[in-house]
Amino acid sequence: MAGGDRQDVLVTGAGGFVGSAVVRELVRRGARVRVALRSGSARAHLQGLNVDVAEADLRDARAVNAAVRGIRRLYHVAADYRLWARNPNDIVENNVSMTRTVMEAAAAEGVERIVYTSSVATLKPGEIDRPGDEQGPLAPAGAVGAYKRSKVLAERLVEEMAAGGLPVVIVNPSAPIGPGDLKPTPTGRVILEALAGRMPAYVDTGLNLVHVDDVAAGHLLAMEKGVPGRRYVLGGDNVPLSAFLVEIARRVGRAPPRLRLPYWSVYPVAVGAETWSRLTGREPFVTRDGVKMAKARMYFTSARAQSELGYTARPFSAGVDDAIAWFRDNGYLR
C-alpha cells in the first residue's frame, strides 16, 4: 500500500488511563487516529474525539491484522493492569499474547514506527540518591507477582523482535496520576481512599509519580526521537508514600495518617482481602504481591528520556490536583 494511503496512527488500549491520554495528545496535534478496542470496552474517554474505531480482541490475530492494516505508526499501550486475579496466569498470558499478536501484525504490515508501553515494573528500583534506570532490567524470576512478571516477559519479547529489525521503541512509565483514571488504577485508588479518610495508616515505602499527560507527551517524543530497541523511563518525582498522603490530605483539609505500619502487620490484612475477593470477585485494595512490592521504594530517574528525547515532567503535585478535580467532577467523591 502506498505511504500516502496509510492512516496516521493506531493506538491500542485507548479506553484506558494512559492510552486515552495518548489519544488526546495525538488528536490535539492533528493526527488521524484509529483506536483498537474490544467490543463492549469503556469508551467514555473517547467522547468528542475524532477517531476511527476498530473493534478487536488483541489476542485475536485476524482482528488485530485488520486493525493494523494501512497504519504508519503504532502505539501499543494496552495491558491487563491488575495486581490480583483469581487465576494469576491469566494476567501473564493476556499481556504476553496481546504483545506478540500486535507486534507480529505490525511486522507483517510493515508499520514504520512503533512505541511499546512497558513499565518501570520491568526494572530494578533504586533509592532516592541512586534511583533505578534503564540499565537494570529484571529477569522474570526476579519479578514480584503476575503483573510484573507479565510485563518483563512481554518486554523481552519486544526486545527480541527489535533485535530482528522491528522498528519498536520501548517506554517505561512510572505511576501515572491525573485526569481520566476511569477504573481507577491502584495509585488512583490510593488517592480516593485517602480523600475519603479510609487510610488511617501507611507503610514506609515510596514511588515515582508522574502526570499522565506528561507520560502521553513522552510517548510522542519516543515515536519521533527514540532509538528502536532502546528503553526510556517516563517518570516524574520520587515521593515517599507518607508525603503523597500529606499532599492529598492537605487538599481536603484532613489530617494525614501518622501511624506507620511494619510490613509484617499488613500481610495478614492482604491475605484476608484476597480471600474476600475470591468470594466477591472484586479486586482487593491490598494484595500480598502489593505488600511484597512495597518493601522496595520504586524510585527511578528519567535522565535518558530527558537527554535523548527532550522529555520533561511537571511536579507530582499538579497530577494530584488534576486527579482530585477529575474524580470530583466525575462523581467518584460521593
Side-chain angles (χ1 to χ4, degrees):
M1 179 178 291
D5 296 329
R6 286 180 178 268
Q7 185 94 2
D8 285 351
V9 185
L10 173 69
V11 181
T12 70
F17 187 29
V18 172
S20 62
V22 171
V23 171
R24 289 195 302 270
E25 185 64 13
L26 286 166
V27 171
R28 188 183 71 81
R29 299 191 189 191
R32 293 183 301 163
V33 181
R34 180 185 301 166
V35 299
L37 294 170
R38 288 176 303 174
S39 176
S41 64
R43 305 188 184 189
H45 287 333
L46 304 179
Q47 290 181 0
L49 296 178
N50 184 21
V51 298
D52 294 333
V53 178
E55 291 195 354
D57 184 322
L58 297 185
R59 298 164 297 185
D60 180 345
R62 181 178 297 179
V64 173
N65 288 337
V68 173
R69 192 165 298 129
I71 290 295
R72 293 179 57 244
R73 296 185 169 192
L74 165 66
Y75 294 87
H76 178 41
V77 190
D80 185 343
Y81 184 21
R82 292 178 292 168
L83 298 184
W84 178 88
R86 279 196 175 104
N87 182 1
N89 285 332
D90 288 346
I91 299 172
V92 177
E93 291 173 4
N94 286 341
N95 283 328
V96 174
S97 65
M98 285 192 298
T99 300
R100 178 181 291 109
T101 301
V102 170
M103 294 299 142
E104 288 178 349
E109 181 64 19
V111 173
E112 297 168 12
R113 291 275 287 182
I114 307 162
V115 170
Y116 166 66
T117 308
S118 185
S119 167
V120 293
T122 69
L123 304 171
K124 297 174 184 176
E127 293 296 329
I128 194 71
D129 56 341
R130 294 186 65 185
D133 61 19
E134 298 87 352
Q135 303 302 316
L138 284 174
V144 175
Y147 174 72
K148 279 195 171 188
R149 188 165 63 255
S150 75
K151 296 301 286 185
V152 170
L153 290 169
E155 185 180 283
R156 299 298 164 266
L157 171 65
V158 171
E159 287 175 330
E160 290 176 8
M161 297 185 75
L166 189 69
V168 54
V169 179
I170 300 166
V171 293
N172 301 76
S174 58
I177 54 176
D181 196 356
L182 189 68
K183 191 178 178 180
T185 60
T187 314
R189 292 178 71 188
V190 169
I191 295 175
L192 289 173
E193 294 297 310
L195 287 172
R198 292 193 291 264
M199 287 192 66
Y202 65 94
V203 294
D204 184 17
T205 190
L207 64 169
N208 185 286
L209 295 169
V210 60
H211 197 294
V212 68
D213 291 341
D214 294 332
V215 172
H219 277 67
L220 273 63
L221 287 168
M223 180 66 78
E224 295 300 327
K225 302 179 181 180
V227 177
R230 200 160 171 85
R231 287 188 293 268
Y232 296 91
V233 171
L234 302 180
D237 292 330
N238 291 314
V239 183
L241 178 58
S242 58
F244 185 27
L245 297 175
V246 166
E247 285 287 331
I248 299 167
R250 185 168 62 81
R251 283 158 173 76
V252 291
R254 289 187 184 276
R258 301 190 182 279
L259 178 60
R260 187 174 68 183
L261 298 175
Y263 295 102
W264 62 263
S265 68
V266 183
Y267 198 81
V269 176
V271 172
E274 290 187 16
T275 300
W276 180 247
S277 292
R278 286 189 174 87
L279 296 174
T280 64
R282 297 182 62 183
E283 189 172 346
F285 178 63
V286 58
T287 66
R288 288 174 292 175
D289 287 341
V291 174
K292 293 175 184 175
M293 284 186 268
K295 290 182 179 180
R297 290 172 174 81
M298 297 294 288
Y299 290 162
F300 294 91
T301 175
S302 302
R304 174 185 284 179
Q306 291 165 3
S307 64
E308 296 187 15
L309 307 180
Y311 172 77
T312 60
R314 69 200 81 179
F316 84 95
S317 57
V320 175
D321 287 333
D322 288 350
I324 293 174
W326 190 87
F327 284 138
R328 181 180 292 117
D329 292 346
N330 288 273
Y332 287 73
L333 305 183
R334 288 190 293 270

